[in-house]
Amino acid sequence: MRRLFSFQAGRALFGSVTRVLIVFGSLLAYYLLAMWVEPYVPWWLTTVVGFVLLFGLLYLGSVWLDHDIMRGAKQDSSERGRS
């Protein structure tokens, strides 16, 4: 749980251009969808969806951090095997 809200997980969200595009694309899609459905749904529903998106992005950052850690460990072990 601590890794989910860590600074490193937040940095992992912006670790590459692809990740930045995914994060900003999802936030832009949420904003456009919220503006489009604003007259039809109550304000609290779009707020709840926004919080779900926020926590989903935080979780995605922690998953990407785990992948980055595992990738780094794999590269370190392969480099140690060569020397």
Side-chain angles (χ1 to χ4, degrees):
M1 187 67 159
R2 265 188 1 204
R3 186 175 292 176
L4 182 67
F5 298 112
S6 70
F7 180 69
Q8 291 86 4
R11 285 184 50 199
L13 282 173
F14 303 101
S16 69
V17 175
T18 307
R19 292 178 181 182
V20 171
L21 290 176
I22 289 171
V23 170
F24 284 134
S26 62
L27 291 174
L28 179 66
Y30 165 73
Y31 176 75
L32 293 175
L33 182 68
M35 291 297 112
W36 182 61
V37 298
E38 181 183 15
Y40 309 111
V41 297
W43 64 269
W44 56 267
L45 185 61
T46 55
T47 305
V48 169
V49 171
F51 280 126
V52 168
L53 176 66
L54 176 66
F55 287 117
L57 288 174
L58 289 173
Y59 177 73
L60 187 61
S62 69
V63 169
W64 282 340
L65 177 63
D66 289 340
H67 286 279
D68 291 345
I69 291 170
M70 295 302 290
R71 186 180 307 119
K74 189 180 231 183
Q75 288 175 352
D76 285 347
S77 67
S78 67
E79 288 174 2
R80 274 191 246 147
R82 290 185 201 160
S83 32

